[in-house]
Every structure is written in C-alpha cells, then in structure tokens.
Amino acid sequence: MAAERVPTIAITGSASGIGAATRARLERAGAQVIGVDVAKGQEVHADLSSAEGRRYAVAAVLRRSGGALDGLVASAGLGMDGADAAAVVSVNYFGVRDVLVGLRDALAANGSSRALVLSSIAVAIYPDIAPQLVDACLKGEESSARELGTACGSDMAYAASKLAIARWARRAAVTGDWIGAGIRLNVLSPGITDTPMPARALQDDGRAAQLGALPIPIGRMALPDEQAAWAEFLIGEGGGFACGGFYSVDGGTEAALRGEDWPTPCQAQPQNDLYRLATTGDSP
Amino acid sequence: MAAERVPTIAITGSASGIGAATRARLERAGAQVIGVDVAKGQEVHADLSSAEGRRYAVAAVLRRSGGALDGLVASAGLGMDGADAAAVVSVNYFGVRDVLVGLRDALAANGSSRALVLSSIAVAIYPDIAPQLVDACLKGEESSARELGTACGSDMAYAASKLAIARWARRAAVTGDWIGAGIRLNVLSPGITDTPMPARALQDDGRAAQLGALPIPIGRMALPDEQAAWAEFLIGEGGGFACGGFYSVDGGTEAALRGEDWPTPCQAQPQNDLYRLATTGDSP
C-alpha cells in the first residue's frame, strides 16, 4: 500500500476556539496545518482586519504551502464581546473573503480540495439584520461597511458580517471558479460554543442574560471539539458531494426558533427556465 | 484499554441505495446493524406502507436489539419512479414517523443515541408543494393524506411527504421526548444520488429530461457512499451537538436555486418573549 500523501490545510483563527480545536484534530489525523492568527505562536502572525494584513497572510500561506492547499478553514472572527464594530466587519467578512480569494489558486492546484467558512447561529436568530450592511459587504465596499457597522454597533456588525459571508460563500461555491476547479466550499454555522468569545461576553451581566435566554434544547453550549468534528468532516470526506451547503450545528437552537422557516417550498416561477425544465421537462 | 461496546444501529431501507451504503459503512466500522426492508435478505422483512407492517417492524427490531438502540437511520422511501402515490405518502411519512416513535424508548435506553431521517432535495426545489398534503401528514391523517397524494400524483406525493417528515423531525427533535432523552434527531437531505430510484426514473424519457435539467454544479450525481458518509457521521460523532438540523448534501443544487432563500434574518417579534429576551436581555 502506498503511503498516503500528507494533506496541507490552512486555518485562520487557529490560536483559539473552534480554530484551535480544528487544528488539534487535523494534526492528530496527520495533516500539515498552517495556522494564521493575530495572536503569536502560529505559523503565520497576521491581522486580518486590514487589507495589508490579509495580503501578508495570503503570501505567507502560499510560501509555506508551496502554492498548493488541500483545505482552508476560515474560522478567524471577532464579535459578541465588545470588539470594535468596524474591526468585526473587516475580519468577519473581508478577512474571510480576501483570504479565500487569495488562496483560491492554491486550492485549485491539486484538482480536489475543500474550503470552509464559519458563519454563526446569529444569522438565523438575530432579528432584523441590517440589509444595508449586508449589501455593503457583498458589494465589497469595506469603508462603507465599516461605517455602517460602527453606526449599528458590534452585535449587529457580528450578525450582518456572518450573514454576508455565508451568502458570499454560497454564491461563490457553485461557480466555475470554485466547484468548477474542484473546490468544495461550504459554510458551518456553529451554535453557542464554549470558546473565549462567549466567555468574555458572559462577564457582562446584561450579555449573560441574553445568552442565558437563548433556547438551547440540548441544554448546554457546544464543546469546541464538537464543532471541530464538523470542520474536520467538511474539510475531508463530508466534502465529497457537499457544495454551497449551510450547516447549522447548534444544539437545537435553530430548529426551536426557526424550524418552520426552512426548508420551505419554492414557488413556481414560469419565467425561470430552470424551474420549468426541472419540473416539467419542457424545453425552454 | 477497555474494549469498546459494539453499537447497535437499525436501518430501514437497508437493502438498496443510501440505506445499503450506510449499512456497509457502519458494519466496516464495527457496528451491529439491524436492517429492515421490504426486499428479502435483511434481518427484518417488513412493508412500511401499512400500519401493520410498521408495528411488525418495530416489534422485530425491539426483539433483535433487546430494547436498546444506539442509532436509527430511517432511509426507507419510495418515489420518483412511478410508485403508487398513496404508498409514497405512507412509506415516506407515516413509515418513518411510526418507526421513529415506536423505537423512541429503545433509543432512550442508553441515555445517548442518534436518529436520522432522510428527506430529499425535492423539498427545496419542487415548486408549490401542496400544503394540504403536508398538513394532512403532520396531523397524522393517513387516509386523507393518501387520498390527497393520489390526487396530486406521485411526484408531488414524494416532495410533500419528504417535506412533512423533515418538518416533523425538526419539531420533535427539540422536545423533551427526544433531545430531553439524549436522542439527537437530525435530517439529511440528499441531492440526486446514483441509486435504483433515479435509475428507474431515468428510463423514462420525460423524467430523464427533468433530471437532466436540474442544475448540479458539481457536475454529477452523488455516489451512495458519499451520502452514507454523512449518515455515518450524523449517527456518530457529528451528532454530538447537532439537534433538529436539516443538512442538504446536494452537489450545489440547493445553493444554485435557493441560495438567497436561506439563511434569512428573522424579524423582531415584540410579542415573542424568546426573541426579546435573546436580543435585549429584558425580562418578560
């Protein structure tokens, strides 16, 4: 039996939380991990809140990987704990998007690879997420999005940036640049997970009441390793036929609050050839 | 190191398709599988289209398992290939529900277990799924649902029964009877998979045109084993924090056709204490 090639996986936010738990799992499974974090001690020390930091991170990962990656887990994120709202927008949306786009060629190099974006249960349960902020992100208008984020506050900036990056990923995933290049791009949406982010938030009494009021039918927060199990699966075998998927792993929070909202039937759209073809077989 | 206990997993529809592929995977991993199928050659030979057949299947699984199960994969299903519409409704909704309910106590026996329902990409892409048929299923009115299914035809019966069972599972999953008893109940929604069901459908020219017109960005059908990898994961480690989840594994079909439809922000509902608490921390 030939020795298996050691896969090379880049992880942003690898110093703590779900990123660190994912790193530990992938290393136990024999992968070579290139960690990127604003905290020191990982392979690449970079601040993804600025375009310059993102360029540096991409260049450093390309150098260390030799220009070919088997997977990328974009787990770096800020929020829920009093972080600066503009930085939340920059890291959670532009930091993820720019690293993905910057490493796309490396992900395409081996002909089959996986990329994973971390969204959040916040996108399904935070009410009235500001559409202007989501749109500014999706249009790539970082300075405008930062201003809107500051105006909305860091909680809204968190929910909107996590919704925008989920939408960006689902749009990109099905295009020739991504699935056409053999890259399975998917979204993992963790529920409340026992990481430093909620731990800092829980030090605030009002925030603790908010989190305490959230229904989590399973009765506890997730362990980081439970989310990392999903990241490892989606970066590996689970990515075989998954493309553009949005996977909420939340202890039942989403089903409890939004269970009737998805899946919903689509409406027949006579003007849409795809629907007509798919349902009647008629030619356009 | 103590020897690990051999898990006992029941699988309906274990003789073919995704059920058979899941059986093969779980057995490779060392599980004891109790297979249920209308085709002979599995441990339990039962027809889930009748209440009597369901009762027999439940009793036979309880007898073989000694009344304790670690997992249940409800993959038995009919449709898309000219099956009788009333039977489609009975097997896909009532067959799944009754087997789950009948085996709930066995799933609760060990304090931690997993149950998985197989839905279908049809629920997200089949237009205008008949709400009356979905409602009749959810109300438990089998004879009425069978009549409506016959009136709508087998394609609609397939989509509606797969939507109804997904909704039933998401409702049940977060309740005390299920997650409160340590049972993680989730839904896997496979895209078009290379099993006997579409193979039979593809023998019909019109149906082949329908399936051929469906966008599958990954460019091919799923292998049964790619769906079975998800079933194995959700029945195992992936079920750690997953509860009431709806997981579409479809090669990009859902993102291509419905990517903007989910996730969507919820609306603030002042009358809803859960939302108010979760977002403001105010007491009711």
Coordinates of all heavy atoms in Angstrom, one line a residue, chain B residues 4 7 22 33 39 44 53 56 61 76 84-85 92 124 132 141 156 172 180-181 205 218 229 238-239 241 260:
Chain B
E4 N -14.3 -1.4 23.4 CA -15.5 -0.6 23.2 C -16.7 -1.5 22.9 O -16.7 -2.5 22.3 CB -15.3 0.3 21.9 CG -14.4 1.5 22.2 CD -14.4 2.5 21.1 OE1 -15.5 2.8 20.6 OE2 -13.3 3.0 20.7
P7 N -21.8 -0.8 19.0 CA -23.1 -0.1 18.9 C -24.1 -0.8 18.0 O -23.7 -1.5 17.1 CB -22.8 1.3 18.2 CG -21.5 1.0 17.5 CD -20.8 -0.1 18.2
T22 N -25.1 2.9 3.7 CA -24.9 3.2 5.2 C -24.6 1.9 6.0 O -23.7 1.9 6.8 CB -26.1 3.9 5.7 OG1 -26.3 5.1 4.9 CG2 -25.9 4.3 7.1
V33 N -25.7 -4.1 12.8 CA -26.8 -3.4 12.1 C -28.0 -4.4 12.0 O -27.9 -5.6 11.8 CB -26.4 -3.1 10.6 CG1 -27.6 -2.6 9.8 CG2 -25.3 -2.0 10.7
A39 N -37.6 -5.6 0.7 CA -36.9 -6.7 0.0 C -36.4 -7.7 1.0 O -36.0 -7.4 2.1 CB -35.8 -6.1 -0.9
V44 N -34.9 -7.9 9.1 CA -36.3 -7.8 9.3 C -37.0 -7.5 7.9 O -36.6 -6.5 7.2 CB -36.7 -6.6 10.3 CG1 -38.2 -6.4 10.4 CG2 -36.0 -6.8 11.6
G53 N -47.5 -3.4 9.0 CA -46.1 -3.6 8.6 C -45.2 -2.8 9.5 O -44.1 -3.3 9.9
Y56 N -45.1 -4.5 13.0 CA -44.3 -5.7 12.9 C -42.8 -5.3 12.9 O -42.0 -5.9 13.6 CB -44.6 -6.5 11.6 CG -43.6 -7.7 11.4 CD1 -43.7 -8.8 12.2 CD2 -42.6 -7.5 10.5 CE1 -42.8 -9.8 12.1 CE2 -41.7 -8.6 10.4 CZ -41.8 -9.7 11.1 OH -40.9 -10.7 11.0
V61 N -37.5 -5.2 15.5 CA -36.3 -4.5 15.8 C -36.1 -4.5 17.4 O -34.9 -4.8 17.9 CB -36.3 -3.1 15.3 CG1 -35.1 -2.3 15.9 CG2 -36.2 -3.1 13.8
A76 N -35.7 4.2 4.4 CA -36.7 3.6 3.5 C -37.6 4.7 2.9 O -38.1 5.6 3.6 CB -37.6 2.6 4.3
D84 N -46.8 4.0 -6.7 CA -48.1 4.4 -6.3 C -48.1 5.6 -5.3 O -47.4 5.5 -4.3 CB -48.8 3.2 -5.6 CG -50.2 3.5 -5.1 OD1 -51.1 3.8 -5.8 OD2 -50.3 3.6 -3.8
A85 N -48.8 6.6 -5.6 CA -48.7 7.9 -4.8 C -49.2 7.7 -3.4 O -48.6 8.2 -2.5 CB -49.5 9.0 -5.5
N92 N -43.0 7.2 3.1 CA -42.1 8.3 3.3 C -42.4 9.1 4.5 O -41.5 9.6 5.2 CB -42.1 9.2 2.1 CG -41.5 8.6 0.9 OD1 -41.2 7.4 0.9 ND2 -41.3 9.4 -0.2
A124 N -36.7 21.3 -1.4 CA -36.3 22.7 -1.6 C -36.5 23.2 -3.0 O -36.5 24.4 -3.3 CB -34.8 22.9 -1.2
Q132 N -51.9 21.3 1.7 CA -52.9 20.4 2.3 C -52.3 19.0 2.6 O -52.6 18.4 3.6 CB -54.1 20.3 1.4 CG -54.8 21.6 1.0 CD -54.2 22.2 -0.3 OE1 -53.0 22.0 -0.6 NE2 -55.0 22.9 -1.0
E141 N -53.2 12.3 9.6 CA -54.4 11.7 9.0 C -54.0 10.9 7.7 O -54.0 11.4 6.6 CB -55.3 12.9 8.6 CG -55.8 13.7 9.8 CD -56.4 15.0 9.5 OE1 -56.3 15.5 8.3 OE2 -57.0 15.7 10.4
M156 N -45.6 14.8 -6.6 CA -46.0 15.8 -5.6 C -46.0 15.0 -4.2 O -45.6 15.6 -3.2 CB -47.3 16.4 -5.9 CG -47.8 17.3 -4.8 SD -46.8 18.8 -4.6 CE -47.5 19.9 -5.8
A172 N -40.0 17.5 16.5 CA -39.8 16.5 17.6 C -38.4 16.6 18.2 O -38.3 16.5 19.4 CB -40.0 15.1 17.0
G180 N -34.5 15.7 25.1 CA -34.5 15.5 26.5 C -34.2 14.1 27.0 O -33.8 13.9 28.2
A181 N -34.3 13.2 26.1 CA -33.9 11.8 26.4 C -32.6 11.4 25.8 O -32.2 10.2 25.8 CB -35.0 10.8 25.8
D205 N -38.2 8.8 -20.7 CA -37.5 9.9 -21.4 C -37.9 11.3 -20.8 O -37.0 12.1 -20.6 CB -37.9 9.9 -22.9 CG -37.2 8.8 -23.6 OD1 -36.2 8.3 -23.0 OD2 -37.6 8.5 -24.7
I218 N -21.7 20.5 -9.1 CA -20.6 19.6 -9.1 C -20.5 18.7 -10.3 O -19.4 18.1 -10.6 CB -20.7 18.7 -7.8 CG1 -19.3 18.3 -7.3 CG2 -21.6 17.5 -8.0 CD1 -19.3 17.7 -5.9
A229 N -21.6 8.5 4.0 CA -20.6 9.1 4.9 C -21.3 10.1 5.8 O -20.9 10.2 7.0 CB -19.5 9.8 4.0
G238 N -20.8 13.4 14.6 CA -21.5 14.6 14.1 C -22.7 14.9 14.9 O -23.2 16.0 14.9
G239 N -23.3 13.9 15.5 CA -24.5 14.1 16.3 C -24.2 14.6 17.7 O -25.1 14.8 18.5
F241 N -23.4 17.7 18.8 CA -24.2 18.9 19.2 C -25.2 19.2 18.1 O -25.9 20.3 18.2 CB -23.2 20.1 19.3 CG -23.7 21.3 20.0 CD1 -24.0 21.2 21.4 CD2 -23.9 22.5 19.4 CE1 -24.5 22.2 22.1 CE2 -24.5 23.6 20.1 CZ -24.8 23.5 21.5
E260 N -30.2 32.3 -2.0 CA -30.6 33.6 -1.3 C -31.7 33.4 -0.3 O -32.1 34.3 0.4 CB -31.0 34.6 -2.4 CG -30.0 34.8 -3.5 CD -28.7 35.5 -3.0 OE1 -28.8 36.6 -2.4 OE2 -27.6 34.9 -3.2

